[in-house]
Amino acid sequence: MTLSARKSAEGGRPVRHQPAELLRAVEDLADAVAHWSAPGRTAVVMTMGALHEGHATLIRAARERVGAEGFVVVTVFVNPLQFGAGEDLDRYPRTLDADLELALDAGASVVFAPSADEVYPGGEPQVRITAGPMGERLEGASRPGHFDGMLTVVAKLLHLTGPDLAFFGQKDAQQLALIRRMVQDLNFPVEIVGVDTVREADGLALSSRNRYLSAEERRTALALSRALFAAGDRLAAQEALRARAASLPGAQGRAENRAEGLSRLGEARAAADAHAVAQAAEPGGAEAVRAAARAVLDDAAKAEPPLTLDYLALVDPADFTEVADDHDGDAILAVAARVGATRLIDNIPLAFGTAGSGTTPFGAAK
């Protein structure tokens, strides 16, 4: 009897149209995919376990997309290839029983939780996917080889699960961008769907590593999301000024004339910050956005316990290179830092100039 059937017999949730169960072997997964998958209606959500509401959101999105009769595979695998020397492979939380319960409740059809020997039966693979230049920036610079290991296991799991759709969180924005690029460059027949970051009530991005934070460390860690939101607010104000400046008579003239026009309209903030208005007259101002975030992080570096910044970067989502001050279009503001022994990452999507105003749903499905 499957777990879902037992639950039904005990008065729990009703039996699903298709059985939900825990699979450990590649052969069992292949049998399940062959029996239950349906063309156009098979999805995968890849995780390293320690599931939380962020993962549940991905699973629910997958279930909604494929429908009640679709097939949703959730993988739970702590991939040793993407952990470097001194990282927390052994410390990484493993909570399979709770993971299974959460996945099934959120809409999974099957949970595939193999061992490392099952995924890599001959030991670490000699042939791997290489992330290229984009994989050497930001997270890749901080964690050499991480993205090669990540892409290798993602490619392998895509082959094993054979999905039409694969769901990943925008929280790991560089990972999402690299997976999209791999799928495009290597012609994988799958649609990659990004799902917006899920946050706790205080703004902290949901992560399995949050459980390592003490109460004092968590207070400091909130600076990551505060910094990102401060930057988003700064950009929204800047874009509003730019739009107002563009609407003034003679808006095609020099930036300083637009600043004078805004002052005449009684815009106190614009009059007090002529430099911001001049920036707003053109679709740039990226440095002002970085500075707004940096100010929050600098304060957190003086907190107790302190936040130790790894990087703050405003990047083009196409290749994760830093954007210029006159950037016009989508961008991602990404941050990574340590609080105590815990390393955390976060990001928000932004849109400059003609792309829009402030934050954007860049992580939405495309």
Side-chain angles (χ1 to χ4, degrees):
M1 180 182 290
T2 66
L3 177 61
S4 59
R6 286 199 302 273
K7 287 281 186 179
S8 180
E10 294 165 2
R13 57 184 180 276
V15 177
R16 290 177 174 81
H17 173 71
Q18 54 200 35
E21 57 186 324
L22 175 65
L23 304 177
R24 294 285 202 168
V26 168
E27 292 79 4
D28 293 338
L29 174 64
D31 290 344
V33 169
H35 186 69
W36 296 108
S37 63
R41 306 186 70 180
T42 299
V44 65
V45 176
M46 299 182 192
T47 83
M48 291 209 302
L51 303 189
H52 50 65
E53 181 57 26
H55 299 106
T57 299
L58 292 173
I59 299 166
R60 286 193 291 267
R63 172 54 64 195
E64 181 177 1
R65 183 72 180 273
V66 303
E69 305 304 311
F71 187 64
V72 177
V73 181
V74 172
T75 68
V76 174
F77 178 61
V78 182
N79 178 32
L81 296 190
Q82 62 196 72
F83 287 80
E87 292 190 328
D88 56 354
L89 173 61
D90 293 333
R91 185 175 172 233
Y92 198 87
R94 291 162 172 82
T95 57
L96 184 57
D97 290 343
D99 293 345
L100 181 62
E101 187 74 13
L102 182 148
L104 298 180
D105 284 341
S109 306
V110 167
V111 174
F112 177 53
S115 66
D117 289 340
E118 187 71 21
V119 176
Y120 306 119
E124 291 193 2
Q126 296 185 43
V127 177
R128 308 187 188 192
I129 301 289
T130 299
M134 182 163 56
E136 297 171 357
R137 300 172 186 135
L138 302 188
E139 284 299 290
S142 296
R143 306 175 66 189
H146 166 72
F147 285 125
D148 292 355
M150 179 275 295
L151 290 178
T152 298
V153 80
V154 168
K156 187 156 192 171
L157 290 172
L158 286 175
H159 285 309
L160 291 174
T161 56
D164 305 293
L165 305 155
F167 290 74
F168 296 91
Q170 174 66 29
K171 176 181 171 289
D172 295 296
Q174 192 173 3
Q175 169 181 281
L176 174 59
L178 281 163
I179 292 169
R180 288 183 193 231
R181 191 74 201 194
M182 177 184 72
V183 164
Q184 174 185 324
D185 288 353
L186 302 183
N187 299 100
F188 279 72
V190 60
E191 178 184 348
I192 302 301
V193 183
V195 178
D196 291 343
T197 301
V198 178
R199 298 184 180 278
E200 300 193 38
D202 57 10
L204 191 65
L206 280 172
S207 169
S208 58
R209 290 187 170 96
N210 291 353
R211 68 187 68 195
Y212 298 148
L213 298 169
S214 67
E216 294 78 12
E217 289 171 339
R218 186 185 176 92
R219 283 196 292 272
T220 297
L222 292 175
L224 272 73
S225 56
R226 286 203 309 270
L228 297 176
F229 298 152
D233 290 345
R234 180 65 184 86
L235 176 59
Q238 182 172 288
E239 292 296 325
L241 288 173
R242 186 190 68 83
R244 181 67 64 88
S247 70
L248 292 173
Q252 299 308 310
R254 295 180 304 162
E256 55 265 31
N257 290 337
R258 283 176 283 221
E260 292 170 5
L262 284 173
S263 297
R264 288 196 299 273
L265 287 175
E267 295 280 356
R269 181 171 183 176
D273 188 0
H275 177 64
V277 177
Q279 285 185 319
E282 303 298 335
E287 184 51 39
V289 173
R290 292 187 188 95
R294 196 176 298 116
V296 176
L297 297 170
D298 286 347
D299 285 343
K302 303 169 188 172
E304 185 55 46
L307 179 144
T308 302
L309 184 64
D310 187 345
Y311 61 76
L312 173 70
L314 184 60
V315 298
D316 186 326
D319 58 10
F320 272 67
T321 57
E322 287 278 352
V323 302
D325 200 50
D326 61 351
H327 180 70
D328 185 12
D330 287 331
I332 292 175
L333 183 63
V335 63
R338 288 188 180 275
V339 182
T342 304
R343 186 175 185 275
L344 301 171
I345 63 172
D346 202 352
N347 71 88
I348 58 169
L350 299 171
F352 287 77
T354 57
S357 175
T359 58
T360 68
F362 180 77
K366 294 187 176 181

